[in-house]
């Protein structure tokens, strides 16, 4: 319900919003999202989403792209924060060398931290052991 | 939204790296691969130079889950409103639900959906961000393969075998696919006909052999004594000399000698017994004598005359063409048979010295042997 007490302005506002939305949906047809339409349609059909309108499919694609872009951005921020924290402890000449060949690579730890904010808890296996007793103290290992 | 996402829970995903080797490919492989590419492109546009394999797999999986969740929530809201088809408002509600974790502008207020913060953020994202289309064209998937359907009874034009089977059901398989009937050879064997056929073949062989011998006689009679190179042996009698002669004959075996030219006569090696005379003329006589009764019989019956056009060829030219012999590995070899014949003639010769009757019997026996062998090799009859 509209909390505005002025009915006329609310109607006008709604019309504006309505117009903005229709305009936005129309502009979506020109915009090509990175996630292809076929993929989106496939997974929406899997979940039962039925819509003959292509604009809705595009809307979903754009929304997903925005989500992934935000996650990637957050991961980049985490990485930069890490780099800065590491650089504070290293002497100056090594820092220069590091800055030259710095390649931004998305790693699992950055991703985990970024996704944590979105409510996605990613559990990542740090290492794999050959047997349950690998790495244990030999004195305490059962023979 | 909060859910726990274990990265290594799906063992099949490792096989994506190796192209499906070492593990069963799930039916969703294509979708996962496509989302991988899309997510990698988005990360690149966000500023990353590279991406770790585990990270990209996790993120692509999260993307797929996001898509599915959004669809589910939007469908839920549509069903809640009593509709089966989703509208834009259902989508906006779904987006708001998913974004509640992070929070968006205007989430606390329940306002008209048209002015929701989610939509505004989305609009801002579209307008400000660069357009990065997907890298490759994708076919419409999943591709529905045309299954080969078994035609029904109606389509086959068959009537179902019994009343309880409706005609629109798939047809029953052909009986030849499940019934095996043994097959017998339907040829009728007539023993009388077989014997008649055998006798006819024997007569034919006899005829051709006799005509050949006749030709040889005529031909070698017209040739001068250049035939010293022939394998006419010079035994006077006795097994020892014959054996020597055989050795000589073996040396002068025309089979082992290469034909130099057409002028050189390479006569057919006559059987050892028949070549015990010194010169060919006497030899011819003996041969003629040997085959005289048979030839007489043939002449009387008139079979020889109506042979396959041999009349015109009774007088051979002076130059005898080289005779080519066909050696067959499968059946008895000719040289083998020759040896056998020679050996048999050795044995029979000592025995036949007793009387002419015995001699004639031996010759008849030899003729029979030749005929038998030529009968066993029916192809060689054509050569004769």
């Amino acid at each position: 319900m509209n909390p505005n007490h002025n009915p006329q302005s609310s109607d006008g506002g709604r019309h504006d919003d309505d117009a903005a939305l229709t305009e936005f949906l129309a502009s979506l047809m020109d915009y090509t999202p990175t996630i292809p339409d076929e993929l989106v349609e496939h997974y929406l059909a899997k979940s039962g989403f039925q819509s003959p309108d292509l604009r809705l499919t595009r809307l979903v694609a754009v929304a997903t792209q925005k989500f992934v872009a935000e996650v990637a951005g957050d991961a980049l921020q985490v990485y930069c924060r890490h780099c800065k924290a590491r650089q504070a402890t290293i002497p100056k000449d090594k820092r220069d060398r590091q800055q030259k060949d710095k390649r931004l690579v998305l790693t699992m730890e950055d991703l985990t931290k970024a996704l944590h904010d979105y409510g996605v808890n990613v559990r990542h296996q740090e290492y794999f052991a050959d047997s349950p007793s690998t790495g244990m103290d030999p004195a305490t290992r059962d023979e | 939204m909060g859910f726990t996402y274990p990265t290594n829970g799906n063992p099949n995903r490792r096989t994506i790296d190796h192209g499906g080797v070492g593990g069963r490919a799930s039916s969703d492989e294509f979708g996962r691969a496509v989302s991988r590419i899309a997510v990698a492109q988005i990360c690149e546009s966000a500023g990353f130079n590279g991406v770790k394999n585990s990270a990209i797999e996790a993120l692509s999986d999260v993307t797929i889950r996001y898509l599915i969740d959004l669809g589910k929530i939007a469908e839920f809201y549509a069903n809640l409103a009593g509709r089966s088809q989703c509208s834009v408002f259902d989508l906006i509600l779904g987006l708001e639900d998913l974004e509640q974790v992070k929070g968006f502008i205007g989430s606390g207020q329940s306002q008209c959906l048209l002015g929701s913060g989610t939509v505004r953020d989305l609009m801002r994202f579209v307008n400000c961000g660069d357009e990065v289309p997907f890298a490759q064209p994708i076919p419409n998937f999943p591709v529905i393969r045309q299954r080969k359907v078994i035609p029904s009874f109606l389509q086959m034009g068959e009537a179902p075998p019994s009343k309880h089977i409706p005609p629109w059901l798939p047809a029953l398989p052909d009986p030849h696919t499940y019934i095996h009937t043994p097959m017998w050879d339907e040829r009728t064997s007539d023993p009388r006909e077989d014997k008649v056929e055998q006798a006819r073949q024997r007569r034919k062989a006899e005829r051709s052999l006799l005509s050949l011998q006749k030709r040889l006689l005529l031909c070698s009679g017209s040739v001068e004594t250049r035939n010293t190179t022939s394998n006419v042996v010079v035994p006077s009698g006795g097994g020892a000399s014959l054996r020597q002669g055989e050795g000589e004959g073996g040396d002068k075996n025309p089979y082992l000698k290469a034909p130099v030219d057409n002028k050189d006569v390479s006569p057919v090696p006559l059987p050892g017994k028949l070549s015990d005379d010194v010169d060919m003329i006497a030899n011819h006589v003996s041969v003629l004598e040997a085959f005289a009764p048979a030839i007489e019989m043939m002449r009387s019956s008139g079979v020889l005359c109506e042979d396959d056009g041999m009349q015109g060829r009774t007088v051979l030219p002076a130059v005898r063409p080289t005779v080519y012999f066909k050696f067959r590995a499968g059946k008895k070899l000719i040289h083998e048979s020759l040896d056998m014949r020679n050996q048999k003639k050795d044995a029979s010769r000592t025995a036949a010295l007793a009387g002419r009757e015995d001699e004639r019997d031996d010759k008849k026996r030899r003729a029979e042997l030749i005929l038998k062998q030529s009968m066993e090799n029916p192809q060689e009859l054509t050569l004769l």
Side-chain angles (χ1 to χ4, degrees):
Chain A
M1 275 297 287
N2 202 338
N4 280 1
H5 295 297
N6 194 345
Q8 280 178 345
S9 62
S10 69
D11 282 344
R14 218 182 298 168
H15 283 318
D16 285 340
D17 288 335
D18 195 10
L21 188 60
T22 29
E23 197 190 305
F24 172 61
L25 288 175
S27 74
L28 269 185
M29 294 315 291
D30 298 329
Y31 181 87
T32 316
T34 312
I35 298 175
D37 286 337
E38 289 86 3
L39 185 77
V40 173
E41 274 176 14
H42 177 241
Y43 285 112
L44 285 180
K46 246 191 182 183
S47 62
F49 183 96
Q50 283 183 36
S51 173
D53 202 351
L54 188 60
R55 293 178 298 172
L56 294 183
T57 321
R58 283 278 167 91
L59 187 64
V60 172
V62 164
T64 315
Q65 185 181 345
K66 177 168 165 287
F67 169 72
V68 177
E70 282 176 357
V71 169
D74 286 351
L76 195 64
Q77 283 180 8
V78 167
Y79 179 80
C80 285
R81 253 181 278 140
H82 265 218
C83 278
K84 285 200 181 98
R86 246 183 287 123
Q87 275 177 8
T89 59
I90 292 169
K92 205 186 173 212
D93 42 348
K94 272 191 191 169
R95 204 187 299 168
D96 290 332
R97 237 177 289 142
Q98 267 187 357
Q99 274 178 352
K100 272 182 218 158
D101 50 348
K102 210 201 295 195
R103 258 182 111 242
L104 294 168
V105 179
L106 176 66
T107 56
M108 267 313 280
E109 39 179 301
D110 300 336
L111 191 64
T112 319
K113 291 201 182 75
L115 280 174
H116 183 73
D117 288 340
Y118 286 85
V120 182
N121 300 320
V122 181
R123 267 192 282 123
H124 174 59
Q125 207 82 305
E126 287 181 21
Y127 58 86
F128 291 94
D130 290 330
S131 66
S133 58
T134 309
M136 270 170 59
D137 195 17
T140 58
R141 211 182 295 179
D142 294 329
E143 292 292 335
Chain B
M1 186 177 73
F3 62 94
T4 314
Y5 176 77
T7 47
N8 294 322
N10 190 357
N12 288 340
R13 219 176 319 109
R14 284 204 179 273
T15 64
I16 293 174
D17 309 329
H18 310 115
V21 172
R24 258 182 309 129
S26 64
S27 61
D28 211 18
E29 285 296 325
F30 186 66
R32 285 185 188 279
V34 168
S35 88
R36 240 166 92 100
I37 298 171
V39 163
Q41 280 188 280
I42 296 170
C43 289
E44 196 186 12
S45 70
F48 279 102
N49 299 118
V51 135
K52 283 258 167 136
N53 218 7
S54 49
I56 191 83
E57 284 192 13
L59 196 52
S60 68
D61 210 43
V62 167
T63 312
I64 289 171
R65 284 204 195 203
Y66 187 88
L67 275 171
I68 293 173
D69 280 351
L70 189 54
K72 262 196 218 161
I73 294 170
E75 182 67 18
F76 166 73
Y77 276 115
N79 291 343
L80 194 61
R83 285 178 275 113
S84 61
Q85 262 200 6
C86 296
S87 72
V88 64
F89 299 111
D90 301 324
L91 262 181
I92 294 171
L93 279 171
L95 282 171
E96 280 190 358
D97 264 6
L98 288 175
E99 296 235 342
Q100 259 175 5
V101 184
K102 197 82 197 253
F104 57 93
I105 303 163
S107 61
Q109 310 162 17
S110 55
Q111 59 176 346
C112 179
L113 282 176
L114 293 169
S116 76
T118 320
V119 181
R120 287 215 195 94
D121 284 340
L122 212 52
M123 281 197 257
R124 209 181 313 131
F125 174 77
V126 168
N127 293 329
C128 303
D130 303 322
E131 188 170 329
V132 183
F134 192 67
Q136 290 171 19
I138 299 181
N140 221 1
F141 80 101
V143 177
I144 299 169
R145 215 190 307 172
Q146 285 293 339
R147 285 185 311 136
K148 229 174 31 165
V149 183
I150 302 172
S152 67
F153 281 108
L154 284 172
Q155 287 170 355
M156 293 276 284
E158 288 175 358
S162 45
K163 256 196 296 182
H164 69 276
I165 302 175
W168 46 264
L169 282 180
L172 291 172
D174 294 333
H176 74 263
T177 55
Y178 55 85
I179 290 178
H180 172 72
T181 47
M183 276 201 343
W184 288 288
D185 204 0
E186 283 301 321
R187 215 173 347 141
T188 51
S189 60
D190 196 354
R192 187 175 163 276
E193 281 301 318
D194 288 346
K195 282 207 181 101
V196 166
E197 184 66 29
Q198 219 173 17
R200 192 184 69 81
Q201 282 182 356
R202 210 176 287 151
R203 270 201 302 277
K204 195 167 165 215
E206 234 179 67
R207 232 183 303 144
S208 32
L209 182 68
L210 287 175
S211 57
L212 171 69
Q213 291 293 352
K214 250 182 79 177
R215 282 168 60 198
L216 287 175
L217 289 177
L218 292 168
C219 179
S220 46
S222 60
V223 174
E224 62 267 7
T225 52
R226 214 160 170 248
N227 293 342
T228 47
T229 56
S230 72
N231 71 335
V232 177
V233 290
V234 196
S236 52
S241 55
L242 183 64
R243 240 170 275 129
Q244 184 196 1
E246 278 305 310
E248 282 187 52
D251 286 345
K252 296 182 182 126
N253 196 341
Y255 291 133
L256 304 176
K257 207 170 54 158
V260 181
D261 53 281
N262 276 343
K263 285 275 175 90
D264 255 351
V265 179
S266 52
V268 175
L270 301 170
K273 177 66 177 83
L274 300 173
S275 59
D276 56 354
D277 292 327
V278 179
D279 47 335
M280 285 292 282
I281 298 168
N283 205 7
H284 300 160
V285 169
S286 70
V287 167
L288 201 58
E289 274 180 4
F291 285 97
I295 293 172
E296 276 302 316
M297 192 182 65
M298 291 293 232
R299 271 216 203 99
S300 62
S301 64
V303 179
L304 197 61
C305 304
E306 60 182 317
D307 207 348
D308 40 5
M310 290 281 231
Q311 283 182 343
R313 292 197 267 149
T314 46
V315 178
L316 291 173
V319 175
R320 201 203 281 188
T322 23
V323 180
Y324 296 101
F325 287 92
K326 200 196 280 184
F327 291 91
R328 294 181 60 226
K331 307 275 184 170
K332 263 190 280 187
L333 299 175
I334 294 176
H335 68 268
E336 254 184 30
S337 59
L338 260 187
D339 284 339
M340 266 171 51
R341 258 186 275 163
N342 287 336
Q343 282 164 21
K344 278 186 186 164
K345 270 118 209 174
D346 273 346
S348 57
R349 187 191 176 280
T350 48
L353 279 177
R356 265 191 98 67
E357 277 183 0
D358 292 317
E359 200 181 319
R360 224 174 267 182
D361 284 343
D362 285 335
K363 284 168 189 156
K364 273 206 189 123
R365 225 183 296 133
R366 253 176 275 127
E368 278 290 325
L369 192 67
I370 294 166
L371 288 169
K372 208 196 299 175
Q373 277 163 357
S374 55
M375 237 176 48
E376 280 168 22
N377 307 340
Q379 276 96 329
E380 279 149 40
L381 286 176
T382 55
L383 285 178
L384 296 175

